[in-house]
Amino acid sequence: MTSGFSSALKLTDLNDYITPSQACVKPVKIEKNENAKVVRIDVESDGTYSEVNEDGSKSKLKATKISLTDCLACSGCVTTAETVLIEAQSIDELISRLEDRAQWRQVVFSVAPQVLASLGAHYQLTMPECYRKLTTFFRQYMRADFIFDTSFSRDLALLEQAAEFVARFQQKQSSDPQATLPMLASSCPGWICYAEKTHGSYILPYISTTKSPQQIMGSLVKTFLPKVLQQRQVDPSIPIDLASGNILHVSIMPCFDKKLEASRQDFYSDLLQSHDVDLVLTSTEVQQLFQRYNVDFASLPSTSPPILFNNLSEDGSLFGVPGGSGGYLEYILRFAAKQLFNLELPAQLEYKQVRNSDFREVVAELNGQVVLRFATAYGFRNIQNIVRAIKSNQCKYDFVEVMACPSGCLNGGGQLKAQAPMTVKQALQAVEQVYDTTQVYRLPEHNPAVKQIYQEWLGGEPLKSEALHTKYHFVPKLEIK
């Protein structure tokens, strides 16, 4: 099954949500029940699933039968269809596309901050240092024109998703029957595939329509970049309406699921005959590129990235937000508390662990009353419990930051692996340390370049443009006869 893959892409490595301490979680069929009093779902020692009722009693759940083509596509395993997509987004495919460099007017790489943290921990560098060295590598060896930073597009994602949450909350307060809360974060493609293929059309309206930072950057690169280059006379010959088809956009991400996200038909333009993101590589595959070209990454000189589409400050610092999975919970909670209740939350939020370290909640209170209740749910065990609560009308949260990987995106399946004698846990802690200490926190609305993009391209303010939003689709199950 793995033949033809880059050597980084093996089934044992496609492990976005399974850690050595966590068994594989198979989907179970969960029916909506208005009168259900189910508290949680437990995985028994024999691998079966049980609903735990309010009184402590248990009832067995029937496992959903799936075929290979009905897989969760969560990178814990790979289906035949998804194998083809991933093979089409390998190191060899990238090199093949770059052999005829003349066909591409612009070659663009965009790099996720989680990737920079993974490289930084491995090579003992800061995130800004990794960004500059990657700029050198991609320009020198991949003949890239631009190397962008998806923490920039994440600012747009945060602003859009925060505005979307406030709008939904106000709808709910006005008793609008179309209002759907809790709002579930949408940036994790493993979670999106799981929701589309496992829980049908019922759960999809709860998911934020805001695109992920990867796909927002794709929209920027294919739609807005040609306009910017022409206006600045970087390349005045570019026809704005057609240039995007001649841009090769490569995204560097912390998990293999992002390859599947980039391949969605929702992000394909019939006019331009291209996807917003043409090819995705992971942190591990980038390291394999270093090895292929015999490059000592730590010794590479630094090159300043373009001012366009990055979050570097004038003094060389990298702006970011708290939270290794994009910071959705914390930013949206603060934004909503201020917009809805004129509340300024403390600098340090007080999280309460619910079931485990990947399932935590935090609240905003006004006059001693809880007015907003948010949660993180990382890993499929926690996600299943959130979904079960929603389907039984017992979910107490207003917003849930959902990620398929335990510990979130910093622990993505495409991140660099722990090197002996370091344990997996120690390696993750090192990545978290780099992420938390080598960025300068800045609110997205304080990004002047983002303000300019809203003015020039997105209708002036969040939710005024469909360019940063998408749709989800119910995928019917295939029963094994």
Side-chain angles (χ1 to χ4, degrees):
M1 191 182 216
T2 57
S3 59
F5 285 31
S6 65
S7 58
L9 194 55
K10 295 181 172 64
L11 287 180
T12 53
D13 289 329
L14 293 179
N15 201 359
D16 276 358
Y17 70 93
I18 305 171
T19 66
S21 62
Q22 183 178 16
C24 178
V25 178
K26 299 175 184 176
V28 292
K29 189 171 182 62
I30 301 174
E31 299 290 353
K32 183 183 177 184
N33 185 345
E34 301 289 343
N35 299 315
K37 299 295 182 182
V38 177
V39 177
R40 66 179 187 275
I41 298 169
D42 279 352
V43 184
E44 307 296 344
S45 58
D46 60 357
T48 60
Y49 297 79
S50 299
E51 289 182 335
V52 181
N53 301 311
E54 206 170 40
D55 60 4
S57 62
K58 290 186 177 183
S59 56
K60 293 285 186 181
L61 287 170
K62 184 179 179 181
T64 300
K65 294 181 178 180
I66 59 173
S67 69
L68 278 177
T69 52
D70 191 40
C71 169
L72 300 182
C74 60
S75 293
C77 56
V78 180
T79 72
T80 52
E82 281 124 7
T83 296
V84 174
L85 294 177
I86 294 176
E87 281 185 323
Q89 299 203 33
S90 63
I91 290 174
D92 290 338
E93 177 65 19
L94 171 62
I95 293 173
S96 175
R97 292 198 191 193
L98 290 175
E99 283 178 353
D100 184 10
R101 180 62 179 81
Q103 71 174 306
W104 306 111
R105 189 180 292 273
Q106 305 287 341
V107 172
V108 177
F109 284 77
S110 56
V111 184
Q114 293 86 357
V115 172
L116 299 179
S118 183
L119 291 170
H122 185 85
Y123 292 102
Q124 297 185 327
L125 299 167
T126 66
M127 290 173 65
E129 288 171 337
C130 288
Y131 188 16
R132 292 186 179 85
K133 289 179 184 294
L134 278 178
T135 299
T136 300
F137 176 78
F138 288 136
R139 283 185 172 172
Q140 184 172 340
Y141 293 93
M142 302 289 108
R143 294 172 288 175
D145 297 289
F146 296 102
I147 296 84
F148 296 144
D149 162 27
T150 64
S151 62
F152 179 87
S153 51
R154 181 186 58 196
D155 281 352
L156 289 163
L158 288 169
L159 289 168
E160 289 290 321
Q161 206 161 132
E164 182 184 356
F165 172 79
V166 167
R168 289 197 192 196
F169 190 90
Q170 290 173 332
Q171 274 186 301
K172 191 77 170 180
Q173 294 297 98
S174 64
S175 301
D176 186 337
Q178 301 299 315
T180 49
L181 287 180
M183 191 173 88
L184 308 175
S186 58
S187 64
C188 174
W191 148 241
I192 298 301
C193 285
Y194 171 76
E196 289 182 325
K197 295 185 176 186
T198 307
H199 295 292
S201 57
Y202 179 81
I203 209 70
L204 299 182
Y206 292 91
I207 302 175
S208 166
T209 63
T210 302
K211 291 180 182 178
S212 71
Q214 170 176 279
Q215 296 309 137
I216 289 179
M217 182 61 80
S219 297
L220 286 169
V221 167
K222 292 296 182 79
T223 307
F224 190 62
L225 179 62
K227 177 181 177 180
V228 171
L229 296 180
Q230 188 181 66
Q231 286 179 339
R232 297 184 181 183
Q233 295 187 339
V234 175
D235 191 348
S237 66
I238 292 178
I240 293 174
D241 57 339
L242 298 176
S244 303
N246 291 329
I247 295 177
L248 178 66
H249 181 203
V250 183
S251 182
I252 312 299
M253 288 286 137
C255 76
F256 292 98
D257 294 339
K258 288 294 183 179
K259 297 172 186 276
L260 304 178
E261 179 183 53
S263 301
R264 290 174 68 97
Q265 283 301 112
D266 302 85
F267 306 131
Y268 182 83
S269 167
D270 290 324
L271 174 64
L272 301 172
Q273 295 289 296
S274 73
H275 283 89
D276 294 339
V277 179
D278 299 291
L279 195 146
V280 179
L281 297 182
T282 64
S283 310
T284 307
E285 290 171 299
V286 169
Q287 188 182 48
Q288 294 233 322
L289 278 175
F290 300 157
Q291 295 167 356
R292 179 172 292 205
Y293 289 98
N294 196 28
V295 169
D296 179 4
F297 179 68
S299 298
L300 284 174
S302 295
T303 301
S304 294
I307 297 175
L308 194 64
F309 302 165
N310 72 58
N311 272 2
L312 280 176
S313 66
E314 292 183 1
D315 66 359
S317 301
L318 186 66
F319 289 119
V321 294
S325 296
Y328 292 92
L329 180 149
E330 183 159 338
Y331 178 73
I332 294 172
L333 179 61
R334 293 183 185 281
F335 181 90
K338 180 64 176 177
Q339 291 290 315
L340 296 168
F341 303 102
N342 198 30
L343 276 175
E344 294 284 354
L345 298 183
Q348 283 293 114
L349 296 180
E350 185 176 341
Y351 286 86
K352 174 186 175 183
Q353 184 169 308
V354 181
R355 289 179 51 79
N356 50 63
S357 60
D358 280 334
F359 195 166
R360 301 186 300 162
E361 68 175 41
V362 62
V363 300
E365 294 184 346
L366 178 64
N367 299 326
Q369 298 294 317
V370 174
V371 291
L372 292 170
R373 190 184 300 272
F374 282 30
T376 61
Y378 298 166
F380 278 101
R381 288 182 178 175
N382 293 324
I383 291 172
Q384 284 184 330
N385 281 299
I386 287 291
V387 170
R388 185 66 183 89
I390 292 173
K391 286 193 170 185
S392 60
N393 291 324
Q394 293 188 35
C395 187
K396 61 183 179 179
Y397 301 112
D398 300 302
F399 176 86
V400 185
E401 182 179 288
V402 182
M403 300 291 161
C405 303
S407 301
C409 298
L410 291 174
N411 192 37
Q415 296 283 66
L416 301 185
K417 306 307 177 189
Q419 301 295 310
M422 185 176 284
T423 65
V424 172
K425 182 178 181 180
Q426 289 171 334
L428 176 58
Q429 289 173 340
V431 175
E432 291 171 340
Q433 174 74 8
V434 171
Y435 189 89
D436 292 338
T437 60
T438 64
Q439 295 185 97
V440 177
Y441 294 145
R442 179 182 67 181
L443 293 174
E445 58 265 34
H446 294 164
N447 186 337
V450 164
K451 292 180 181 179
Q452 182 179 1
I453 286 175
Y454 271 111
Q455 292 169 357
E456 295 182 7
W457 185 43
L458 298 172
E461 59 185 272
L463 300 185
K464 293 294 185 181
S465 171
E466 295 182 359
L468 305 187
H469 292 263
T470 187
K471 297 178 181 179
Y472 310 107
H473 316 281
F474 167 53
V475 180
K477 294 188 189 309
L478 298 179
E479 292 289 339
I480 299 175
K481 303 298 184 181

